[in-house]
Amino acid sequence: MSDDRTPEAFKDRTDTVLAGFLDAEAAELLAVDDALAPLAEALRTTARHGKRLRAAFCYWGWRAARQPDSDALVRAAAAMELVHAAAVVHDDLIDDSPLRHGRPTAHRAFAALPGPRHRPRAAARGLALLLGDHLMALAGRLYTESGLPAAYLSRGRPLWAALARELVAGEALEILHTGGLPDTGTSLKVIRYKTAKYTVEHPLLLGALLAGAPTALREGLSRYGLPLGEAFQLRDDLLGLFGDPARTGKAPLDDLRTGRPTVLLAETWHAADPARRELLRRTLAGDGPAGEDALREVRALMDELGAPARVERMIAGRVEEAVRSLDELDLPAAAHGALTDLAHRAAVRHH
C-alpha cells in the first residue's frame, strides 16, 4: 500500500477503529443492565476476526479517485466490517452452523450460557438475532459518525439502501433454493447477491462515491469488483469442503449438511449419472444414510467428478477478468497495485 501502509498495517488500523467503537458500545449496554454482559461481550468478539478486505476495498475505492489518505475515511470503511459481522451472525443462525473462526458461533455461545432460562435454545437464537440486527445498525452509525463531511456521506446513502436490500435478497434466495434442483446459474446468482456484492463491489463503490468519483470510474470498479466478489465466495465454498478445518475455523461438512445450493454441488449434479444423482438427492434431502460417512461420500463424489477443478477454473477466470479490467482505468499507480494485490489475496488463500 501507499504511505508505507502494508496490508497488515491497514488491518491493524481498522482493528483499532473497531475495537474502540465496540468497546464504547459494549459499555453503553452494560450501563443499561449488568445482565446484558453476554451481549456486550459478543459485540466485542464477533467483529474481532477477519482479514478486513471489505474495509480495504472501500479505502482503495477512495484512493482510486485520487483522494489522499484519511482517518475519517478509514472509520467509514470499517463500517463495512460491521456489515459483514452482522451478515455472519445471521447466516450462522439460519444454517445453525456450530463454528466460526474455530469458536462457537454466536447462537451456540449464547446457548451455552449458565443459569436457568425458559426455552434456552429459542432464547439463544433470539439473542443472536438481536446481536446481528444491532451490528447492522452500528455499521450505519459508524459510517455517519466517521468524521467525513455530511455532503460526502450523503453520496453513499443510495448505496447503503442497495447493499441492505441485495444482502437480504441473496440470503433469501439461498433459503428458497436450498433443497431444489442444483443449477450452476442459480448458485452463481445466490453468491452474487449474498456475498460478492457486499464483499468487493459495494465497498469499492462506497469509497469511490465518498470521493466523488465520476461515473466512468465507478462503472470500471464494478467490472473489477463483481467477478472478484464471485471468485472470493467460490474460494470460500471450496475451502469449506476441501480446506483444512484447523485453518478455516469452520465445520468441514457444513455446506453439505445444510444442503446449501453451492456451485460445487451444482457442478457435481451436472456431471453425475442417474445413480449418482440419486445418491446426492437422497443424502442431501435427508432420506439417505445419515451421518458424517454419507456426507464424506458426497464430498468424495464431488472430487471424483471434477467439480473442485471446474470451480478452480471459474475462480481463475474471474480473477483474470477483474485484474484485466484495472488496465482499462486511469488509476494512480498505488491504487492499481493495491487492487491487484487485493484480487489475489481475496481469491488465492487457505482460510
Side-chain angles (χ1 to χ4, degrees), residues 62 67 143 148-157 209-211:
W62 167 271
Q67 290 281 9
Y143 172 77
L148 287 171
Y152 286 31
L153 294 172
S154 66
R155 296 169 184 159
R157 190 175 296 123
L209 281 166
L210 290 170

Side-chain angles (χ1 to χ4, degrees), residues 188-206:
L188 285 170
K189 189 170 190 177
V190 168
I191 69 172
R192 185 175 307 132
Y193 285 95
K194 181 187 171 187
T195 305
K197 282 178 166 286
Y198 96 85
T199 296
V200 184
E201 185 191 27
H202 285 149
L204 265 173
L205 291 180
L206 183 64

Side-chain angles (χ1 to χ4, degrees), residues 144-294:
T144 57
E145 296 178 2
S146 61
L148 287 171
Y152 286 31
L153 294 172
S154 66
R155 296 169 184 159
R157 190 175 296 123
L159 184 66
W160 271 98
L163 183 156
R165 178 176 59 251
E166 292 175 0
L167 185 53
V168 168
E171 189 72 66
L173 282 172
E174 182 175 80
I175 293 170
L176 292 167
H177 287 297
T178 294
L181 187 68
D183 174 74
T184 298
T186 297
S187 296
L188 285 170
K189 189 170 190 177
V190 168
I191 69 172
R192 185 175 307 132
Y193 285 95
K194 181 187 171 187
T195 305
K197 282 178 166 286
Y198 96 85
T199 296
V200 184
E201 185 191 27
H202 285 149
L204 265 173
L205 291 180
L206 183 64
L209 281 166
L210 290 170
T215 301
L217 176 57
R218 299 198 308 271
E219 290 175 347
L221 291 175
S222 282
R223 290 193 296 273
Y224 163 90
L226 193 53
L228 182 56
E230 292 179 358
F232 174 90
Q233 184 57 42
L234 289 170
R235 175 63 63 199
D236 244 25
D237 290 347
L238 273 176
L239 290 172
L241 279 176
F242 295 95
D244 179 0
R247 302 186 75 173
T248 64
K250 299 178 183 178
L253 296 171
D254 224 23
D255 283 358
L256 291 180
R257 185 175 291 105
T258 57
R260 291 175 190 153
T262 63
V263 173
L264 271 170
L265 178 58
E267 288 294 302
T268 303
W269 179 269
H270 178 73
D273 58 26
R276 285 164 165 165
R277 285 186 176 183
E278 181 60 15
L279 167 67
L280 286 169
R281 189 198 66 75
R282 292 179 64 235
T283 302
L284 297 176
D287 299 330
E292 301 284 305
D293 289 346

Side-chain angles (χ1 to χ4, degrees), residues 36-59:
L36 295 174
L39 189 63
E41 181 59 20
L43 270 184
R44 292 191 188 99
T45 59
T46 302
R48 183 176 294 164
H49 302 281
K51 305 170 189 67
R52 308 311 186 202
L53 291 175
R54 293 159 186 85
F57 282 121
C58 185
Y59 178 84

